[in-house]
Amino acid sequence: MTLHGAVYVNGRIARAEDATIPVYDHGLLYGEGVYETLRTYNRVPFLYDRHVRRLRASAGYLELSIPFSNDDLASWIADTMAAAGPLQEAYIRVLLTRGVGELTYDLQATPVPSLIIIVKPLEEVPARVLSDGIKVALVPILRNHPGSVNPVIKSNNLLNNALAMQEANRRGADEGLMCNYRGELSECSQANFFIVRGGAALTPNNQAGLLEGLTRDFLFEVGDDAGVDVRYDTLFPTDLESADEAFITSTTRELSPVTQIDNRPVGNGKPGPITRKLLDAYRQRARALTRPLVEGKR
């Protein structure tokens, strides 16, 4: 396997295939850590301040210290981007783990957290996704109960998500849609979920037990600009049958239309006009917000 890009690990930048972490890192041993995935527009990390704010919030749930400033992190990301070579746009993943220590859950054993930054070329959403849409499977894997591993934490421990996605793959789907313990729709394994009904874009509310996606939240602002009603709702699997359109949102996939759920077409089985309108408005706003930063006109 050929790995692309560059990786920063605790102050050292290496080629992706040469990057290493100690086996006694508690991120590896116990999955203790948090992360953020960013992408660039105009080679500028998009919604950087919001991503770092969520990283700090997630770390707070774990009592995981972050011993650097936002400006420090931005500088290290820039250095890693430069080391990754020529990039049209970049995929950036920032991981903070509990750090290296003895085999114990005692926080005193890991006084220094580990920081990892992965930068590689961004893989743009394939044209077929935008023209034909994707298939989603409603999987039996339940989203984590907020009383166990709260989904609001963007945790490095992604076993719940992995199991959902693997089940979706077995069904020939591109994404796995999960319910919560109450039987409400929650989110997908790697994305937030929306349906369109009566011209409004509806997404499960925060009480459904999900990661409060930044693309999902940003879409409310985009909807205001585009004249589309975007709102939270309590949704159930039966609501999928009355959806005119559906789509997922994530940092790297922006808005991807969903045209099939469990072998049933959504609406007319093609990407719908509301999804397209929101995607166009999203991209325009993302590029407009990052362009002044490139030009030095903050």
Side-chain angles (χ1 to χ4, degrees):
M1 179 184 296
T2 301
L3 300 176
H4 299 285
V7 180
Y8 170 109
V9 181
N10 294 331
R12 179 177 180 271
I13 299 176
R15 296 184 306 169
E17 59 264 37
D18 297 327
T20 60
I21 61 168
V23 295
Y24 270 54
D25 192 294
H26 283 212
L28 172 65
L29 293 172
Y30 304 128
E32 286 193 89
V34 295
Y35 78 101
E36 285 291 325
T37 299
L38 301 86
R39 64 152 292 170
T40 63
Y41 290 91
N42 296 313
R43 290 183 52 80
V44 174
F46 184 52
L47 300 180
Y48 175 77
D49 290 344
R50 303 187 196 191
H51 278 286
V52 177
R53 188 181 309 127
R54 188 172 62 179
L55 182 75
R56 292 185 180 279
S58 294
Y61 282 100
L62 274 60
E63 297 185 39
L64 176 57
S65 65
I66 300 185
F68 50 79
S69 70
N70 293 2
D71 289 343
D72 288 336
L73 179 59
S75 177
W76 298 330
I77 289 174
D79 291 344
T80 310
M81 286 180 61
L87 299 170
Q88 185 170 355
E89 297 292 358
Y91 167 102
I92 303 163
R93 191 178 183 111
V94 177
L95 304 99
L96 189 73
T97 79
R98 185 74 74 190
V100 177
E102 289 298 328
L103 303 183
T104 173
Y105 294 129
D106 186 351
L107 299 183
Q108 302 303 314
T110 50
V112 181
S114 293
L115 175 66
I116 301 164
I117 303 168
I118 299 170
V119 175
K120 65 176 185 175
L122 177 73
E123 296 181 11
E124 296 287 355
V125 176
R128 65 168 182 81
V129 169
L130 303 182
S131 62
D132 302 333
I134 65 171
K135 177 181 178 181
V136 166
L138 182 63
V139 298
I141 307 298
L142 296 182
R143 194 63 176 104
N144 284 337
H145 191 292
S148 60
V149 179
N150 194 335
V152 76
I153 304 169
K154 196 167 178 68
S155 164
N156 292 341
N157 189 329
L158 293 169
L159 185 57
N160 184 228
N161 309 70
L163 292 174
M165 189 64 196
Q166 288 158 10
E167 176 62 23
N169 288 340
R170 283 190 286 270
R171 299 185 185 191
D174 302 289
E175 254 295 0
L177 176 59
M178 291 179 280
C179 291
N180 63 19
Y181 68 100
R182 293 190 297 265
E184 303 163 352
L185 294 179
S186 180
E187 62 180 329
C188 292
S189 66
Q190 302 174 88
N192 290 114
F193 182 75
F194 285 77
I195 65 170
V196 176
R197 191 166 56 198
L202 311 176
T203 189
N205 57 50
N206 293 343
Q207 290 69 41
L210 46 76
L211 178 69
E212 298 170 14
L214 297 182
T215 303
R216 167 180 175 262
D217 290 347
F218 188 67
L219 200 62
F220 282 78
E221 301 171 33
V222 171
D224 287 340
D225 292 342
V228 175
D229 182 16
V230 180
R231 63 176 187 262
Y232 303 112
D233 204 347
T234 301
L235 301 174
F236 294 89
T238 52
D239 288 300
L240 301 175
E241 301 170 8
S242 60
D244 301 316
E245 305 173 33
F247 60 88
I248 62 171
T249 59
S250 75
T251 293
T252 55
R253 291 187 284 181
E254 303 172 314
L255 282 72
S256 294
V258 175
T259 52
Q260 192 174 336
I261 301 176
D262 285 340
N263 299 316
R264 297 192 308 271
V266 178
N268 63 5
K270 299 178 181 179
I274 297 297
T275 302
R276 292 182 183 276
K277 185 175 185 179
L278 287 171
L279 175 58
D280 289 344
Y282 179 92
R283 286 177 164 175
Q284 290 174 13
R285 186 168 171 83
R287 294 188 176 108
L289 287 174
T290 52
R291 192 172 300 115
L293 303 182
V294 176
E295 298 167 354
K297 301 176 183 177
R298 194 175 183 94

